[in-house]
Structure formats: structure tokens, C-alpha cells
Amino acid sequence: MPPDAPTSRTSSSSPNPPSPLSTPNPLSSPNPPSSPNPLSSPHPRSTPTPLSETEAEELIHGICFKTGPPRVLGAELEWLVLDAERPGLPVSPERLTAAHEAAGALPLHSRLTVEPGGQLELSSAPADSLSACVDGLQADLTAVRGVLRAQGLVLRGLGQDPRRPYRRLLTDPRYEAMERYLDRSGPAGRAMMCASASVQVCVDAGHEEPGPLGHGRRWRLAHLLGAVLVAAFANSPAVDGPYAGWRCARQGVWEDLDTGRSLAPPLDIEPRAAWTRHALDTRVMCVRAPEGAPEDTPWTVPEGLTFRDWIRTGGPRPATAGDLEYHLTTLFPPVRPRGHLELRMIDAQPGDDGWLVPVAVVHALFDDPEAAETAYRVSKALADSYGPHPAPRNPLWRSAARAGLADPELRSAATACFLAAAEALPRLGASDLVRGTVAEFTERHVLAGRSPADDHAHPRQQLSGKGTRP
């Protein structure tokens, strides 16, 4: 549910700050729940109780998939912050910090946070309708853009920042530890932290029972249809480096991030069981400083220690429920269950209103029964291409990232899904602006087999909003 009053916060975000659908789920709520919750506090006042393996499994199993009638929608919008006159040049840390502080002082409905490289993120309040979600974000974006404009800065929607070198703005111990851990796998970690931006759409997990709105089907739909969303909204073109020629270089970064951490669980296992096993068997990124330690105390970065190992061995100290909470925020699969489903595969979109399209289309394909049936039928046809390997490391997802909608199978699937979404939007109460923006995107890109990345000859041109091909 939305907060009682507008709130605005600017802070050093965790790798993934509290989600827009967080209020029904205490795991990710920005405000403490009224009743105690074992995963709500990273540093409980009392001595933390060591967590058993059975307790950890029960907590993940019960909290990450909360089921019920789909009714709540949320979105997280990440943006690059650029100099309005010289968008291809870095913005100094001092200017970025001043801009973040000015934006954070606004009376926003959304939660405002800062990513490690200085990217700005707005996370909507949980909304019970598409209009409520969109209207709140639009109003907040208008206010934030006005404050930034006064400082000579602009927000730009681009999945991967082509500027080099990568520079980390946030320096607190969690990011020092995160960088040390991710550097073991190569440069992808720094690219993810400091140069990526996305549109994340959050939908309810769905009903407990089978059917088009059941949580099992929605979980499977999210992973199969996720490749279609990657292709349709690919907006991080690369002309050099390891992802040269890719429409969605950001997906390449996520694929190379860290073995296991950015992968989806197997789809042939019941969702709760699959996610629980995946979470416990993924390596621990870092162990936080003890309670009461100075804020600048370094965090431990173990090697090869899964969370299950941590529980069983009790080292480097006994694992607690708070440690499990933090560990879950450091998992970066394309679809993350947080009491709801968080779809994380969509690039940030160009233009002031480009973000409206993925929010509206995902909402329609998951929460309108007719559109959901179409989406599931289309996604089932993609199962063979998905294959036995998890997303994003399988042929379907890799083709989506490299070719975008130039892939004929993905183009056909996108066409069916976007047309179904367009038919559903009036039933969902979408405004004329939303319906028109989706229709324009469908005609310009989907029906033409073009991703947003195809509109730009060079990614640096997209920093300035110029260079669009006819």
C-alpha cells in the first residue's frame, strides 16, 4: 500500500533498494513493520540468534513468494545523470552529490535513491492501478528534472553508459566490499555498479492455485517472456569491447557478472523450492561489520562461501536472519521474488515518456487475464529455444541481447504480446497518454522489427538524444 503521506529519501542505496511492492512484504520494506519480523533489521538491538538451515529455508520459502490476487503494481526507474551541454563528459562527484541532495529535498511520493556510480533511481509507491503508478512517477520525475535542470543537468534513459572510465561515487563499506567481490570475476561488476540503468517492473506473484494468474505460471512466464522484453526494449548498443554489435550490452554485463549470482533457477522445479535452493547455494558476497562497529569498518569478503556453508560451519561468525536478508538483496537474477516478482531485464528507455511502455506492457501481460493467456501461449512456443540452461545464459536470451527484434522468433512473439497488451490497456484504465505511447512504440519498433538501440548509430549519440536514424 502507498504510504500515508508523500515521502522522499536520498541515500546510498543497497545493491537493490527496497522495491515498489515492498509494503506487503517486510523483507524489502523501507519502513520497519509494526510487528517484529525476523528479516526486517540488519542489526537487531538484542544479540542476533544464529540461523539454522531449516529456519533459513522456511524464511525464504514463506517470504519470497507471497501469493494472492494480483492487484498491486510498482516500478523502479534508473537514470543516468548527465551534463545538459556536454553529455559525453563525466560529471564531477561534487555536482552529482549536490544534485542528489537537491532532488532528495523534494516532497516526492516515490523513494529516491542513488546507485554506486551516481545513477538516480525513483521507486514508486505500491499502486493498485496503472494510473496511480504512472501518475505518481510522472509527477516526481517532473519535479526532479526541474531541480536538475537548474543545475545544468539532465536525466537520460540508456541501459549502459558508454563513458569511461567507470567511477564509483558511493564509498561506504558495503560498496567497497561489493567491488572487491565482483572484481574477482572481471570488469563486469564495475560496469553493473557504476554504468547500468534499467526499468524494473514489479507485479504480484499471483494466486496459489494453477491458472493464468497462478504463481507457478507467472514465474515461468516471466522467464520465457523475459527474453522478449530484453529484445523489445534493448537500449544499450555497443560498438566495441566484448559486446560489440549487441543491442543490449547491459545483458552481456549481467551474464558475465558472477557465476550463479545473476542466473535464474531451473524452471522445471517448483518455484519456491528452486529459489530457496538457489539462494542458499549462491556464494556470500560479503559479511557485514559487527553491530556497534564504527560505520567505516571494512566488511569481510569471503571466498567460495555459500550461505548454506556459512550456516553449517558457523564462520566467519554465526549467520543470522539479518544476514540472510542482506544476502538476498545481493542476488541479481533476471526475475527476483521478493514477496512479488521483480522483472529486472529491461533497459532504461529513451525520452521523457519511454519508461511508460514497459510498465504498461508488463502490467497488461501479467495482470489482464486475456492478455496473460496470450502471453503464456506465446511464451510456451519459446521454451525449446530457452533450452536447459538458465537465463540469461541460454540461446533465447543471448539472441535477444545480441539481435534484439531482428531475431524473427522474438519479433513474432513481441508482436503478438504488444498487440494483446494494447487491447488490454483500456480494460486496465490506461490513460490516453499511456495508450498512445504504447501504440507509437509498437508501430515504430515492434512491428518494424527494431529495438530502441537500432535508432542510434553510436551509443554516445544517445547520451545527447541525437543521432536518431530515420
Side-chain angles (χ1 to χ4, degrees), residues 35-92:
S35 58
N37 168 51
L39 295 189
S40 63
S41 175
H43 295 298
R45 293 180 182 177
S46 58
T47 302
T49 302
L51 191 65
S52 72
E53 191 170 341
T54 298
E55 289 170 334
E57 291 174 346
E58 290 175 349
L59 287 170
I60 298 173
H61 190 277
I63 289 177
C64 288
F65 281 92
K66 288 187 176 295
T67 54
R71 61 181 182 86
V72 182
L73 173 70
E76 303 175 28
L77 312 180
E78 296 174 345
W79 303 88
L80 306 181
V81 181
L82 308 179
D83 186 289
E85 298 298 325
R86 298 174 296 175
L89 298 180
V91 178
S92 71

Side-chain angles (χ1 to χ4, degrees), residues 139-226:
D140 289 345
L141 278 170
T142 298
V144 170
R145 286 186 173 118
V147 165
L148 295 185
R149 193 178 304 114
Q151 301 193 27
L153 300 172
V154 294
L155 297 178
R156 190 73 75 223
L158 183 61
Q160 197 70 25
D161 192 341
R163 295 175 298 177
R164 300 290 189 276
Y166 301 132
R167 301 186 307 164
R168 179 163 53 85
L169 179 69
L170 304 183
T171 59
D172 53 304
R174 76 178 70 182
Y175 295 112
E176 296 284 351
M178 188 177 182
E179 187 173 87
R180 285 167 54 202
Y181 175 89
L182 294 174
D183 277 351
R184 294 171 181 167
S185 302
R190 296 195 183 203
M192 178 275 288
M193 292 175 65
C194 301
S196 66
S198 68
V199 174
Q200 297 177 21
V201 187
C202 298
V203 295
D204 281 319
H207 292 283
E208 189 66 30
E209 64 270 13
L213 299 182
H215 80 283
R217 181 180 288 195
R218 286 162 75 87
W219 175 252
R220 185 172 179 81
L221 171 65
H223 288 87
L224 294 175
L225 199 62

Side-chain angles (χ1 to χ4, degrees), residues 17 53 103 110 117 132 138 220 224 295 322 325 384 395 463:
E53 191 170 341
S110 309
Q138 281 185 312
R220 185 172 179 81
L224 294 175
E295 290 187 1
E325 174 190 12
D384 288 344
L463 290 174

Side-chain angles (χ1 to χ4, degrees), residues 265-288:
L267 292 187
D268 57 354
I269 300 175
E270 190 277 327
R272 286 191 181 96
W275 178 249
T276 299
R277 182 188 304 173
H278 178 75
L280 292 181
D281 290 337
T282 299
R283 290 177 293 178
V284 173
M285 178 177 284
C286 49
V287 177
R288 297 167 302 162

Side-chain angles (χ1 to χ4, degrees), residues 51 130 172 202 233 326 329 332 434:
L51 191 65
L130 177 61
D172 53 304
C202 298
F233 297 113
Y326 185 77
T329 71
F332 310 128
V434 171

Side-chain angles (χ1 to χ4, degrees), residues 280-447:
L280 292 181
D281 290 337
T282 299
R283 290 177 293 178
V284 173
M285 178 177 284
C286 49
V287 177
R288 297 167 302 162
E291 181 183 2
E295 290 187 1
D296 60 352
T297 301
W299 292 13
T300 303
V301 183
E303 286 201 50
L305 181 74
T306 69
F307 202 91
R308 196 185 303 277
D309 294 336
W310 186 4
I311 293 174
R312 290 177 175 178
T313 63
R317 58 167 173 76
T320 66
D323 294 320
L324 177 58
E325 174 190 12
Y326 185 77
H327 174 67
L328 293 174
T329 71
T330 69
L331 305 182
F332 310 128
V335 182
R336 186 165 63 179
R338 304 187 71 185
H340 51 270
L341 302 183
E342 183 181 82
L343 278 68
R344 305 168 46 83
M345 72 289 295
I346 301 169
D347 279 351
Q349 294 297 287
D352 289 350
D353 297 327
W355 61 273
L356 292 171
V357 183
V359 174
V361 169
V362 168
H363 177 46
L365 296 179
F366 278 81
D367 295 336
D368 179 84
E370 293 183 33
E373 279 289 356
T374 298
Y376 189 67
R377 172 179 52 80
V378 168
S379 68
K380 284 177 63 178
L382 300 173
D384 288 344
S385 297
Y386 190 95
H389 301 293
R393 294 178 185 162
N394 63 47
L396 182 67
W397 278 68
R398 284 174 172 162
S399 182
R402 290 169 176 162
L405 290 182
D407 180 300
E409 183 180 32
L410 290 166
R411 175 182 179 179
S412 176
T415 298
C417 288
F418 273 72
L419 293 178
E423 292 181 359
L425 288 176
R427 297 192 292 267
L428 295 170
S431 67
D432 289 343
L433 172 63
V434 171
R435 291 160 61 184
T437 304
V438 171
E440 181 181 355
F441 184 95
T442 301
E443 181 176 357
R444 176 177 177 80
H445 292 109
V446 179
L447 299 181

